[in-house]
Amino acid sequence: MKTRSETAPASTEPRSLLRILGIFEVLARTEGGVTLAELSGALEAPKSSLLLLLRPLVAHKYLMHGDGRYELGPSIFQLSAEVLASAGITRILRPYVEKLAAQCDESVFLAMIDKEAKTVTYIDSIDSRQAIRYSVPIGTKRPLHVSAAGKVLFAFQDADWCKKYLKTAKFKPLTSKPLPERAAFEAELNEIRASGIAVSIGEAVAGAAGIAAPVVKADGSATYAFMIAAPIDRLVESMPALRELLLEVAADASETLRHMPGG
């Protein structure tokens, strides 16, 4: 079986990236790790070039190095688990996304927090059938402080993490709408925790608004949230009904996750 480095045309793809992928592929298929010489032979790459890639991977614990052999490290296993969990969660929560879309006829998103990057990512969605609608591709990222989904997930993280984020983060507006002062934003987070609902009006995208609710785990934190997004006028007009719908569906989804292993 050939690695990506052996099959991909070097002229059109970054060689170092392909070599990193090749390193992981070789190690994933080899018990007990491999030496630098063995990696060099498997990837047909110079040892000196591989060392430049291996050192930072070891430093960040994506690989472990001992007794002259390289093995997969805890960081790559954690990343793999997160990727698999994300793929699985979209299947588990898809019926709730569909229920929201059917009952509100607006665009609905399933969002996931990335605490390291301090962003929220939309990992599943159903676009509204209406001619004028809010639509962004799956994989779109937003800062936590502007998106409704970002704010609700921000509010449902542990207190120490939130405190550190608020001290170090640089809040920048994405639209012409000014952001609240830090104290006002902290007060908004407290309101979100109490109500289970976050709202963003013209903060992430000019002319668009969103309302979101978290899928709460047994420990009270949240990794995922549902968001309904629409043109501002339409969403504001239907806000009370959307709030009740989101709270109901998010509560059902939260109950589902709590009955799963690790939920």
Side-chain angles (χ1 to χ4, degrees):
M1 180 177 177
K2 292 185 177 181
T3 66
R4 296 180 193 275
S5 298
E6 295 170 313
T7 59
S11 60
T12 59
E13 296 178 313
R15 182 176 297 176
S16 59
L17 173 59
L18 293 174
R19 281 179 176 165
I20 289 173
L21 294 175
I23 289 168
F24 288 130
E25 288 179 347
V26 170
L27 291 174
R29 299 196 301 265
T30 308
E31 292 186 12
V34 297
T35 65
L36 177 60
E38 289 168 339
L39 268 179
S40 177
L43 300 176
E44 296 181 359
K47 295 179 184 178
S48 58
S49 298
L50 288 177
L51 277 173
L52 293 175
L53 303 176
L54 291 167
R55 285 168 180 157
L57 291 174
V58 171
H60 291 278
K61 297 185 179 179
Y62 285 97
L63 300 179
M64 303 298 289
H65 184 228
D67 297 324
R69 306 187 74 81
Y70 292 90
E71 297 183 77
L72 297 175
S75 292
I76 193 63
F77 288 117
Q78 181 180 350
L79 177 61
S80 299
E82 289 172 354
V83 170
L84 290 172
S86 175
I89 208 72
T90 57
R91 292 193 296 271
I92 295 165
L93 296 181
R94 180 68 181 189
Y96 299 101
V97 174
E98 292 174 348
K99 181 177 180 180
L100 286 169
Q103 295 193 24
C104 73
D105 201 22
E106 297 290 0
S107 296
V108 177
F109 299 86
L110 175 63
M112 178 179 69
I113 191 171
D114 182 338
K115 293 175 71 173
E116 291 298 320
K118 299 180 177 64
T119 58
V120 63
T121 304
Y122 304 141
I123 60 174
D124 195 13
S125 69
I126 297 177
D127 279 357
S128 169
R129 295 169 294 179
Q130 302 195 58
I132 300 174
R133 60 186 180 271
Y134 180 81
S135 179
V136 295
I138 292 175
T140 296
K141 296 180 181 292
R142 296 275 188 255
L144 295 179
H145 62 279
V146 294
S147 162
K151 288 195 282 187
V152 83
L153 287 171
F154 190 156
F156 279 80
Q157 302 309 305
D158 64 87
D160 289 342
W161 186 88
C162 289
K163 185 177 180 180
K164 182 178 179 181
Y165 180 96
L166 288 168
K167 280 186 175 181
T168 59
K170 295 180 179 179
F171 292 178
K172 297 181 179 179
L174 295 187
T175 68
S176 59
K177 183 173 181 178
L179 296 177
E181 296 294 330
R182 192 67 55 97
F185 184 69
E186 290 188 55
E188 182 181 2
L189 291 176
N190 289 332
E191 292 175 6
I192 292 169
R193 292 185 194 101
S195 66
I197 289 288
V199 175
S200 173
I201 300 178
E203 296 171 53
V205 177
I211 180 171
V215 182
V216 181
K217 296 186 286 188
D219 65 2
S221 67
T223 302
Y224 305 97
F226 298 115
M227 183 179 77
I228 299 172
I232 288 176
D233 291 348
R234 207 161 68 211
L235 190 133
V236 170
E237 182 179 354
S238 56
M239 187 83 73
L242 294 180
R243 177 186 292 266
E244 294 305 314
L245 175 61
L246 267 173
L247 287 173
E248 176 187 338
V249 173
D252 290 343
S254 299
E255 189 67 21
T256 295
L257 287 195
R258 287 170 191 160
H259 284 87
M260 296 176 59

